[in-house]
Amino acid sequence: MQENFWQTKTLDDMTDEEWEALCDGCGKCCLNKLIDEDTDELVHTNVACELLNTHSCACSDYANRFARVPDCLKITREQLGEFYWLPSTCAYRVLAEGKSLPSWHPLRTGSKSAMHRAGQSVRGKVVPESKAGDWEDHIITWAS
């Protein structure tokens, strides 16, 4: 993988390995969302997917996630425009909007530690689906 590839390549020109490396592993996209019945507005919750490891912020069964969680979505180049719900800090969204990766991004720092220290991951902020109860009680704004 080319060093600083995100600065020299478009999203379409990236290899699959580079595309996957863009994910900072924050876990925000693994939080459940609701649609407001009155306004059709999408709102985020702090209710984590059953497969999300809430400490590492990684999927506990990444290879089988689509079979185990039918509404899990794969973020692809072709569908990027449809994923308006991605957090404003998401590298896919940031680069698509012509912005630079944030200073805490693992590709810039070499590890996820800076991201966690900067409070940009879901670590310590979420509840698992099995313990959440009514998702409407868990609406948040920090993940958008």
Side-chain angles (χ1 to χ4, degrees), residues 35-96:
I35 302 285
D36 185 295
E37 292 176 7
D38 298 325
T39 66
D40 285 337
E41 177 187 9
L42 181 127
V43 293
H44 293 79
T45 72
N46 69 341
V47 179
C49 169
E50 64 188 62
L51 296 180
L52 184 67
N53 176 315
T54 59
H55 181 75
S56 70
C57 303
C59 182
S60 62
D61 193 6
Y62 191 76
N64 299 304
R65 67 193 185 279
F66 302 119
R68 295 193 51 199
V69 180
D71 58 348
C72 181
L73 299 173
K74 182 173 185 167
I75 299 170
T76 65
R77 295 167 188 81
E78 298 77 25
Q79 296 174 308
L80 191 56
E82 298 172 27
F83 297 120
Y84 61 90
W85 49 265
L86 287 171
S88 60
T89 56
C90 176
Y92 301 114
R93 182 173 170 180
V94 167
L95 293 177

Side-chain angles (χ1 to χ4, degrees), residues 18-32:
E18 290 166 338
W19 176 263
E20 287 290 321
L22 287 179
C23 177
D24 58 27
C26 70
K28 292 176 187 173
C29 64
C30 298
L31 299 180
N32 288 288

